[in-house]
Amino acid sequence: MLASKNYTPTNGYTEIVKPGEMGLTKLHFGILNLTPKATFFDHSDDTEVALIALGGDCTLLVGHNGNKANGVLGERSDVFQGEACIAYIPHHTTYEVLANETGVEIAVCKVPSHAESAAVILEAGETLNQDETHLRIHENAFSDDSDITTTSGAHTMSTGEEAIYLHRFRNADGVAVFNVTRTTGTARAKLYHNDVFAVPEQDSIELLMSEGVGYQLWIQPHL
């Protein structure tokens, strides 16, 4: 059975999927939506957290004692206006999000980790070396003729490890069709605006066609 959920924009934090759901064993995924000047506080506990700014901007205050990172997260109005700013937060670290004048929408990804990494806030287009994080994050854009622009460099976007995909369309009526290859065969999936799709370990997903200009956020663990 193919596993997807549709996200309905809601103020505050919405948990969409966690380990034990939709065939996943490691990844947590949710979306934080804050109105102007609203705040959100959380703790990473036993996970590494990545905050991916989908739209708007905020002031981000991470950590205490020696492992701190304070700055602005977010440089685009929506996912179709440039690359994401991403913050990485190590385990057992506090973080506070203070939305600025436009408000902010952030994808929140978590994976189990006890690595002693540094808290960091990246500007749009900046990346970490793979050995500095337990999360692999890519953004893909695709259009009506199925042309795809992807930071991962391929139409087939998941092999050998579980993954989560967030899908958006410039026109909310858009739809994309994917082949999902599993150990038991191949199935076809239609994904719509704000669908979150989970791909269990050893499965892969390949874009076949898109009706409308689309965006995809792709997250995998890198343990």
Side-chain angles (χ1 to χ4, degrees), residues 88-162:
Y88 293 89
I89 301 167
H91 68 95
H92 292 101
T93 302
T94 60
Y95 58 99
E96 185 173 10
V97 179
L98 298 84
N100 292 333
E101 297 293 340
T102 59
V104 69
E105 185 183 37
I106 297 171
V108 181
C109 313
K110 304 178 184 180
V111 69
S113 173
H114 287 92
E116 298 303 325
S117 56
V120 61
I121 302 171
L122 301 178
E123 295 182 358
E126 289 187 323
T127 59
L128 289 182
N129 293 328
Q130 285 196 359
D131 59 357
E132 296 180 278
T133 175
H134 286 319
L135 288 162
R136 296 174 63 196
I137 298 167
H138 300 283
E139 295 183 294
N140 305 323
F142 43 88
S143 60
D144 294 291
D145 58 5
S146 294
D147 286 341
I148 188 167
T149 302
T150 167
T151 56
S152 61
H155 281 70
T156 300
M157 291 166 280
S158 174
T159 55
E161 186 54 271
E162 66 184 57

Side-chain angles (χ1 to χ4, degrees), residues 37-51:
K37 302 301 182 180
T39 63
F40 175 80
F41 181 87
D42 205 356
H43 192 286
S44 60
D45 296 319
D46 292 317
T47 66
E48 177 186 343
V49 178
L51 304 179

